[in-house]
């Protein structure tokens, strides 16, 4: 599975997920893309999972149109330290063979 880290996720989190096929929005040159554009680009590029802290994404997009998995970390901020608390859950989800399409919110 291919994973994309949204631009609101610290880039250095990628190195904690080095056993997975992970890229970032900035590496792809997709900074500033609106959510719909980003999801469409993910489909074109064969990216299966978006990791984000954008809790509003579920209300902004029709996921019948975008059959991908979006993992939303429900955190107080998007700092590296805060997201490290979610790392075990994120890794557990990424090794799951059949993740459901749509929004998956993970909490601490």
């Amino acid at each position: 599975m291919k994973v994309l880290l949204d631009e609101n996720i610290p880039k250095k989190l990628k190195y904690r997920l080095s056993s997975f096929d992970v890229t970032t929005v900035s590496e792809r040159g997709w900074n500033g893309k609106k959510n719909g554009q980003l999801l469409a680009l993910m489909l074109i590029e064969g990216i299966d999972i978006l990791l984000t802290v954008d809790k509003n994404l579920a209300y902004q997009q029709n996921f019948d149109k975008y059959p991908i998995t979006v993992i939303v970390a429900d955190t107080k901020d998007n700092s590296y330290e805060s997201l490290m608390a979610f790392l075990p859950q994120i890794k557990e989800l990424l090794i799951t063979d059949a993740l459901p399409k749509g929004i998956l919110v993970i909490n601490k």
Side-chain angles (χ1 to χ4, degrees):
M1 281 191 258
K2 292 183 180 180
V3 180
L4 180 68
L5 300 185
D6 202 356
E7 61 188 315
N8 57 23
I9 300 288
K11 185 177 179 177
K12 64 183 179 178
L13 189 68
K14 173 184 175 177
Y15 304 105
R16 297 292 184 161
L17 300 169
S18 61
S19 59
F20 302 97
D21 186 0
V22 179
T23 189
T24 68
V25 166
S26 66
E27 288 172 340
R28 293 212 170 241
W30 295 347
N31 287 44
K33 298 287 185 195
K34 295 194 182 304
N35 288 333
Q37 293 172 308
L38 185 63
L39 296 172
L41 287 168
M42 288 177 65
L43 285 177
I44 291 167
E45 296 294 322
I47 300 171
D48 309 291
I49 300 169
L50 175 65
L51 178 60
T52 186
V53 295
D54 184 354
K55 297 174 190 101
N56 294 318
L57 190 60
Y59 308 106
Q60 298 169 344
Q61 300 300 319
N62 175 2
F63 283 93
D64 291 335
K65 186 177 173 182
Y66 304 107
I68 62 168
T69 301
V70 179
I71 300 172
V72 179
D74 187 7
T75 180
K76 61 181 168 96
D77 61 36
N78 67 334
S79 70
Y80 178 74
E81 293 74 22
S82 294
L83 286 164
M84 284 301 295
F86 290 85
L87 195 59
Q89 283 178 278
I90 292 167
K91 286 181 175 182
E92 185 74 25
L93 287 170
L94 295 181
I95 62 171
T96 303
D97 287 333
L99 279 175
K101 303 303 178 197
I103 301 285
L104 293 174
V105 179
I106 54 175
N107 300 294
K108 274 280 68 355

